Amino acid sequence: MENQLFKPGERIAIGASGGKDSTVLAYVLSELNRRHNYGLDLFLLSVDEGITGYRDDSLETVKRNELQYGLPLKIVSYKDLYGWTMDEIVKMIGLKNNCTFCGVFRRQALDRGAALLKVDKVATGHNADDIAETVLLNILRGDIARLSRCTSITTGEDGPIPRCKPFKYTYEKEIVMYAYFKKLDYFSTECIYSPNAYRGFAREFIKDLERIRPRAILDIIKSGENFRISTSTKMPEQGTCERCGYISSQKWCKACVLLEGLNRGLPKLGIGRSRGLNSDVKKDIKQGGGTESIESKQCGSLDF
Ligand code: SF4
């Protein structure tokens, strides 16, 4: 209510992975919508990365949630959108950088699914721990542009489909307990390709802090909110990808650069290791999106 996340009559897609965060979000939103007449049209939106033994199982949970909460479900798959499953990508690139591909593709897949559903907004299950981690990561890598927006409860209001994070101030532990005591049906297995996925040090650091002083998580978010970016700092300009039309600050969006690498059999193209490539390819990619390293993102909830 305070942040005016939703307006009556809006169509809202809930990014649903089958995990605890998005399951609790779907449950709470549908419950509040029913009890307090929010007047929202709610949908579940899932992304199928094509990971056998993980996503196929978690999608079964989402399909059950569809019936349990009476929310229509839309699934978009990497195979349909990009022509590759994560299983095929990992077969080609191995277990290094797989989450880079997956994170970039997922972000765009969620937007494309939201466009198909014609929703006004996407709600994701990011919790306070996730956001505190992101603040720390953006400080560590000096990403001023992301640092300035990563604590916003609603982002992308200037784009076609804004996103909001209703659990911005909710501790992960609260969500786990809620799901447990409400006996919600969620999926808690980690991705089989996950060894490199978690934001490693930042996550461990946050958990260590929490053990000493739980409030540290909310304090980090508060600090993130209070950063002021100097007006003379040059920020990347948002444009659109010349290839697919997705938002991008480069000529090609990151998904197109990564996809180009995969399709050419040179998967390292988009992840900053272009040494040894012929000059035409280097030139194309340089024009097409830069070769800067792309940070691996946390997985689990369908977000970022
Ligand atoms: Fe994708 Fe997450 Fe698995 Fe990494 S851990 S491959 S980001 S689903």
Side-chain angles (χ1 to χ4, degrees):
M1 297 292 283
E2 201 178 305
N3 288 285
Q4 300 181 341
L5 296 182
F6 310 113
K7 292 192 200 85
E10 276 186 337
R11 291 166 68 86
I12 307 293
I14 301 165
S17 66
K20 61 179 179 357
D21 302 297
S22 58
T23 303
V24 171
L25 182 63
Y27 175 82
V28 170
L29 275 186
S30 57
E31 195 61 20
L32 291 175
N33 196 32
R34 192 179 54 76
R35 261 195 230 170
H36 301 289
N37 296 321
Y38 278 13
L40 301 176
D41 247 345
L42 298 174
F43 301 86
L44 296 174
L45 173 57
S46 292
V47 176
D48 180 1
E49 298 92 343
I51 302 176
T52 315
Y54 168 64
R55 187 56 81 208
D56 42 0
D57 291 341
S58 66
L59 284 175
E60 289 309 310
T61 312
V62 183
K63 286 177 194 164
R64 290 197 300 277
N65 294 158
E66 176 186 20
L67 301 175
Q68 289 155 351
Y69 310 146
L71 303 178
L73 167 66
K74 170 92 195 153
I75 301 175
V76 286
S77 75
Y78 284 7
K79 187 69 180 174
D80 290 346
L81 294 177
Y82 309 112
W84 291 79
T85 63
M86 273 313 292
D87 287 338
E88 290 164 346
I89 293 173
V90 168
K91 211 172 270 172
M92 180 185 249
I93 67 165
L95 280 174
K96 214 171 168 208
N97 297 316
N98 54 306
C99 298
T100 299
F101 283 83
C102 196
V104 170
F105 286 168
R106 181 187 296 110
R107 181 168 182 83
Q108 202 176 104
L110 208 53
D111 277 340
R112 294 223 220 157
L116 289 173
L117 282 171
K118 296 189 173 59
V119 292
D120 299 293
K121 203 170 272 175
V122 175
T124 60
H126 285 102
N127 58 47
D129 300 46
D130 296 330
I131 296 174
E133 272 169 39
T134 308
V135 170
L136 282 184
L137 279 175
N138 285 333
I139 291 172
L140 290 173
R141 64 188 175 198
D143 193 333
I144 299 292
R146 285 201 175 86
L147 183 58
S148 64
R149 59 173 189 257
C150 72
T151 54
S152 307
I153 197 157
T154 303
T155 50
E157 282 166 303
D158 46 347
I161 306 174
R163 292 182 180 213
C164 68
K165 308 174 191 113
F167 288 159
K168 176 186 166 187
Y169 294 117
T170 314
Y171 289 104
E172 184 176 46
K173 281 189 174 161
E174 291 177 306
I175 292 174
V176 174
M177 282 196 285
Y178 190 90
Y180 179 77
F181 285 112
K182 285 279 180 192
K183 297 189 172 51
L184 300 185
D185 182 7
Y186 67 95
F187 184 82
S188 54
T189 305
E190 256 184 37
C191 171
I192 52 169
Y193 303 137
S194 76
N196 298 318
Y198 283 92
R199 301 162 167 212
F201 294 121
R203 190 169 185 81
E204 272 175 39
F205 181 61
I206 294 277
K207 289 292 169 206
D208 289 346
L209 280 180
E210 187 188 27
R211 239 168 268 135
I212 303 165
R213 186 170 169 274
R215 168 106 217 160
I217 291 178
L218 297 186
D219 288 346
I220 292 172
I221 299 176
K222 259 284 172 277
S223 302
E225 288 169 346
N226 287 329
F227 278 117
R228 292 291 169 267
I229 311 299
S230 153
T231 46
S232 60
T233 305
K234 200 169 175 289
M235 304 292 265
E237 277 172 36
Q238 288 291 6
T240 48
C241 171
E242 280 188 8
R243 256 193 154 186
C244 71
Y246 190 70
I247 41 165
S248 172
S249 54
Q250 307 282 337
K251 194 171 168 182
W252 287 5
C253 69
K254 282 175 179 159
C256 281
V257 175
L258 292 173
L259 202 53
E260 178 73 6
L262 285 175
N263 290 336
R264 289 192 189 194
L266 299 165
K268 289 182 180 172
L269 281 183
I271 46 178
R273 291 188 205 138
S274 55
R275 234 177 323 148
L277 303 174
N278 75 43
S279 56
D280 282 354
V281 173
K282 279 185 190 168
K283 201 168 121 215
D284 275 9
I285 296 302
K286 204 162 180 193
Q287 289 171 346
T291 55
E292 81 271 39
S293 165
I294 298 162
E295 194 65 47
S296 293
K297 305 282 186 177
Q298 183 203 8
C299 175
S301 46
L302 287 173
D303 25 55
F304 323 130

